[in-house]
């Protein structure tokens, strides 16, 4: 009967902790015992900050089954993520469902390369730590525009055999992109058995092209626009090897060599003008 | 036999209503309902009841309306149908109860659907909705997966017979296709909400944001949560696409996505949180109710022209006659015998038109409908800025894929369950609705939910001393479906 009780209290996803990781990037710890117990690396949740909000998918960045929480990390760049940011510690998100998507396939590959760009370091972290726990030799490359935008450095470092950092402006680590660091590794004659690439879609396209060309089996985690997250609407469809797939149920990870990247970019921009307007309205509304 | 004309239900003006989301028909007045009810012949052997998947006591409730006792009429319907306000609006009566009405042979059948709607609305609006008598708790608990028509009906039946019932819904709102799919102008959401509140008042617990298969599997519902039975009514939630070029362009939606954005996410209100592309020229591909809903939604979202493209002729359209009629009245353009072969996009990836070919009808196919055959060299382009693909749904694979031991029809992706009793190949698991049949109607799903509820009651609470008998013999006074020869067969336990 106790377990049944837990289910009924499920929709109360209280914000246990709220932290600002960089200028626009936030980490929320949510009370979600059931999701924390079930989730595996690579899975995501869908939430609505308020009861009139849009549904948005966010990767589970960390979780503790014993303590019953999950962490989500997001960049407050649109109306919905700003609504989320504006909730206070102790408040609850209106709706939270998950864990969704297929978990990452983890095994002992040998030498694993994990590459994260910007906030992509957040969804990358659980994969890094699962690969590390499975006994892989893990090299992680994390990139950001500038030093202040590098997130989860300590966490990722603790689960990697080697962490390499690149910043566009050279304020931290190597000056340049993650792809430049990767080229350096190749130049040094290094070999990898598998690669995981997560970040902004252009970064994934460019970086995965290099890892695939180097003969490394590469997976990318896609973040298309999603509504229900259960396969019902098909809004998140992507073309993989000429076939239409739904990122929510068939993904979010796919063989990077098979992804139709340009279509993915086009579809991500479908609501750009609407999003800009919604963000401005929300901002204006807050000032008023 | 004197056959008088059926009383038409007054409706919003077709042109005006094409620009708003308010419900199309206004409903009968009390006098109109009484006059229509008086047309019923009160047949001794009512064929209409046989035509109803949940066997509503049609002559009895119509008799009560004729006598002016509207509330009693609503209660009579609710003896066998927990969701009458919904059925009165969305059932395909013309192929079910009304198709069997004797009056229909010489003229127009009794407007059974309109009367059902009237009785349910009158009771609800009176604010005097009484709860039916409920059996004492039997100590058994049932998990219902999905809060659509099948799940809600199954839950309602079980809770009345003393079960502890919990409904799990993946989305943030209960109702399934009734809230994400069927538009406001055809089924006001306030009505769905009331019907669900009624079930909650009966004792049904509804847990939202719980994705069975992910948040917990069916096996975990048994093992961890100690449910005694699980009913799966997870619906046909996976949209089909045509597999033609350009289908992933901007402005191309599955009907599920288009309707979900508009209905569930309220994209039609001013300053919505969830956007929708409001096309000026919208093409909807398909000929079913969902296609009509999409085309009519497009009009209400401000389309100057909303067009249906369908590869067969009107006679083969699966949509309810009333929906086709309403769509035409509102000015939806029908392009029949016309099949899309490519979706054309402009430089920015946004759809600019649909290339079609003309079709002609050939020999009948497996469905008995004449197969459309392409007319060579007949390609032409219809300009549009939004294209909605409403060619059907297949069952959502989440539960079949995560439930070991559950027999599935590999080709169709449906869960194999007995039509007569809802039992699946897995002990304690029952299924019904679109997850079993593939995309069908609200009322068929309700019928399946009801049948499964009867089986669950038989299996979990047999009459004392009859526990060891086959399920269909476990009641002293059993009035449910009869033995269909399937018991003990491969799909039974």
């Amino acid at each position: 009967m106790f377990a049944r009780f837990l289910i009924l209290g499920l929709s109360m996803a209280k914000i246990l902790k709220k932290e600002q990781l960089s200028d626009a990037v936030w980490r929320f710890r949510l009370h979600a015992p059931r999701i924390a117990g079930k989730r595996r690396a690579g899975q995501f949740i869908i939430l609505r900050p308020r009861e009139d909000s849009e549904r948005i998918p966010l990767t589970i960045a960390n979780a503790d089954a014993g303590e019953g929480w999950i962490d989500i990390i997001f960049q407050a760049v649109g109306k919905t993520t700003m609504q989320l940011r504006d909730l206070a510690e102790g408040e609850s998100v209106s709706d939270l469902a998950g864990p969704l998507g297929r978990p990452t396939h983890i095994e002992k590959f040998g030498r694993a390369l994990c590459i994260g760009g910007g906030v992509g370091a957040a969804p990358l972290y659980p994969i890094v730590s699962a690969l590390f726990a499975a006994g892989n030799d893990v090299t992680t490359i994390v990139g950001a525009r500038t030093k202040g935008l590098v997130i989860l450095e300590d966490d990722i470092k603790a689960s990697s055999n080697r962490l390499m950092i690149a910043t566009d402006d050279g304020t931290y680590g190597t000056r340049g992109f993650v792809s430049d660091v990767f080229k350096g590794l190749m130049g040094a004659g290094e070999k990898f058995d598998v690669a995981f690439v997560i970040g902004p879609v252009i970064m994934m396209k460019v970086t995965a092209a290099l890892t695939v060309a180097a003969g490394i089996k590469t997976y990318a985690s896609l973040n298309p626009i999603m509504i229900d997250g259960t396969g019902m609407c098909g809004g998140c469809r992507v073309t993989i090897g000429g076939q239409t797939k739904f990122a929510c149920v068939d993904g979010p990870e796919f063989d990077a060599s098979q992804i139709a990247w340009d279509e993915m970019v086009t579809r991500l921009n479908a609501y750009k003008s609407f999003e800009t307007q919604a963000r401005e309205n929300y901002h204006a509304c807050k000032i008023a | 036999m004197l056959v008088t004309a059926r009383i038409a239900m007054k409706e919003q003006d077709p042109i005006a209503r094409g620009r708003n989301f308010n419900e199309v028909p206004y409903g009968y007045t009390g006098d109109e309902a009484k006059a229509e009810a008086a047309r019923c012949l009160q047949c001794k052997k009512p064929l209409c009841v046989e035509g109803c998947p949940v066997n509503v006591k049609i002559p009895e409730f119509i008799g009560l309306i004729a006598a002016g006792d509207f509330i009693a009429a609503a209660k009579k319907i609710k003896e066998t149908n927990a969701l009458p306000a919904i059925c009165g609006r969305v059932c395909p009566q013309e192929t079910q109860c009304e198709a069997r009405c004797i009056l229909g042979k010489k003229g127009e059948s009794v407007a059974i659907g309109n009367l059902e709607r009237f009785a349910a609305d009158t009771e609800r609006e009176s604010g005097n909705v009484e709860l039916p008598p409920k059996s004492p708790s039997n100590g058994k608990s049932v998990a219902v997966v999905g809060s659509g028509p099948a799940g809600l009906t199954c839950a309602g039946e079980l809770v009345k017979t003393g079960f502890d019932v919990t409904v799990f819904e993946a989305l943030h709102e209960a109702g399934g296709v009734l809230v994400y799919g069927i538009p406001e102008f055809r089924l006001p959401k306030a009505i769905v909400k009331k019907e669900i509140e009624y079930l909650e008042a009966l004792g049904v617990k509804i847990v939202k944001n719980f994705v069975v298969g992910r948040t917990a599997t069916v096996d975990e519902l048994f093992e961890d949560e100690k449910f005694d039975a699980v009913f799966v009514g997870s619906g046909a939630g996976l949209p089909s696409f045509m597999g033609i070029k350009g289908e992933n362009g901007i402005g191309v939606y599955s009907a599920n996505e288009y309707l979900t954005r508009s209905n569930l996410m309220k994209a039609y209100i001013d300053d919505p949180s969830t956007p929708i592309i409001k096309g000026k020229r919208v093409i909807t591909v398909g000929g079913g109710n969902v296609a009509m809903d999409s085309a009519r939604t497009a009009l209400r979202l401000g389309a100057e022209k909303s067009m249906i493209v369908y590869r067969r002729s009107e006679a083969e359209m699966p949509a309810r006659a009333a929906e086709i009629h309403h769509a035409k009245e509102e000015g939806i353009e029908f392009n029949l015998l016309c099949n899309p072969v490519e979706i054309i996009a402009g430089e920015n990836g946004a759809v600019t038109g649909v290339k079609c070919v003309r079709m002609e009808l050939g020999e009948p196919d497996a469905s008995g409908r004449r197969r459309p055959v392409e007319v060579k060299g007949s390609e032409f382009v219809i300009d549009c800025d939004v294209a909605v693909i409403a060619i059907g749904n297949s069952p959502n694979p989440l539960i079949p894929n995560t439930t070991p031991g559950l027999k599935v029809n590999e080709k169709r992706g449906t869960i194999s369950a007995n039509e007569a009793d809802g039992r699946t190949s897995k002990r304690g698991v029952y299924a019904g609705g679109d997850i079993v049949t593939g995309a069908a109607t609200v009322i068929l799903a309700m019928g399946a939910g009801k049948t499964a509820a009867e089986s669950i009651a038989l299996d979990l609470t047999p009459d004392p001393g009859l526990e060891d008998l086959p399920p269909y013999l476990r009641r002293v006074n059993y009035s449910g479906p009869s033995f269909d020869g399937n018991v003990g067969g491969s799909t039974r336990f």
Side-chain angles (χ1 to χ4, degrees), chain B residues 296-355:
Chain B
R296 297 172 71 197
T297 294
L299 202 62
R300 285 157 173 82
L301 288 172
E304 284 157 13
K305 198 158 191 182
S306 177
M307 299 161 273
I308 291 274
V309 165
Y310 181 55
R311 66 198 184 111
R312 303 178 193 248
S313 75
E314 190 175 325
E316 289 85 24
M317 277 194 162
R320 284 174 79 201
E323 306 311 323
I324 297 173
H325 170 73
H326 278 146
K328 283 186 172 172
E329 270 189 340
E330 289 166 12
I332 310 282
E333 185 184 294
F334 283 62
N335 297 278
L336 303 170
L337 289 167
C338 173
N339 196 33
V341 290
E342 182 185 341
I343 295 172
I344 302 164
E347 270 177 34
N348 57 359
V351 55
T352 58
V354 175
K355 186 194 270 184

Side-chain angles (χ1 to χ4, degrees), chain B residues 1-7 28 33-49 58-59 62 93-94 96-112 115:
Chain B
M1 184 165 71
L2 179 71
V3 181
T4 53
R6 121 182 343 214
I7 312 279
Y28 279 150
K34 278 202 266 186
E36 181 60 27
R39 296 179 65 231
C40 174
L41 300 175
Q42 294 291 322
C43 301
K44 285 275 180 296
K45 284 186 76 182
L47 295 174
C48 52
V49 178
I58 296 168
I62 291 182
Q93 290 96 4
E94 73 271 15
Q96 297 179 15
C97 53
E98 293 178 13
R100 309 288 290 273
C101 177
I102 298 294
L103 285 188
K105 300 209 188 305
K106 291 224 171 136
E108 291 175 292
S109 67
V110 175
I112 301 168
L115 290 170

Side-chain angles (χ1 to χ4, degrees), chain B residues 55 58 63 73 91 104 149 202 220 277 297 305 342 358 388 415 428 453 474 485:
Chain B
N55 304 117
I58 296 168
C91 267
L202 282 173
E220 286 164 343
I277 300 172
T297 294
K305 198 158 191 182
E342 182 185 341
R358 297 267 175 225
V388 182
I415 293 176
R474 287 179 192 166

Side-chain angles (χ1 to χ4, degrees), chain A residues 1 3-5 7-8 10-11 34-35 38 43 46 48 51-55 79-80 83 94-103 225-228 230-239 244 246 248-249 251 263 266-267 269-271 274-275 278 281, chain B residues 141 164 166 168 170-173 180 205-211 213-217 220-221 224-227 236-239 241 247-254 256-257 260-261 264-265 271-277 348-350 393 396-398 401:
Chain A
M1 260 350 252
R4 192 76 50 78
F5 207 68
I7 305 186
L8 295 172
L10 195 89
S11 19
R34 192 167 272 279
I35 299 174
K38 284 289 283 188
Q43 289 189 300
I46 288 219
R48 294 202 308 164
E51 64 175 353
D52 61 351
S53 301
E54 193 173 8
R55 296 168 65 93
K79 177 180 167 184
T80 313
Q83 286 177 334
S94 172
D95 299 282
L96 176 69
L100 300 169
R102 289 175 191 261
I225 295 168
M226 229 175 244
I227 306 179
D228 63 289
T230 65
M232 189 268 281
C233 84
C236 65
R237 62 195 187 276
V238 289
T239 301
T244 293
F246 294 177
C248 65
V249 287
E263 177 188 284
T266 305
R267 287 185 65 79
N269 288 330
Y271 300 99
F274 177 92
E275 285 158 4
N281 289 354
Chain B
S141 65
D164 178 26
T166 307
F168 295 97
L171 293 172
H172 59 260
E173 211 171 305
Y180 76 71
K205 282 165 277 194
I206 297 183
V207 180
K208 296 169 204 166
N209 298 312
F210 194 109
V211 186
R214 290 277 185 234
T215 312
T217 62
E220 286 164 343
L221 292 178
D224 301 343
E225 312 302 337
K226 311 295 176 208
F227 284 103
L238 202 79
F241 288 91
E247 222 168 0
N248 294 346
I250 295 182
V252 185
Y253 290 109
S254 74
N256 274 5
E257 180 180 0
T260 297
R261 283 178 182 271
L264 179 72
M265 304 312 298
D271 192 23
S273 289
T274 302
I276 194 165
I277 300 172
N348 57 359
N393 293 292
N396 194 306
L398 210 44
N401 286 351

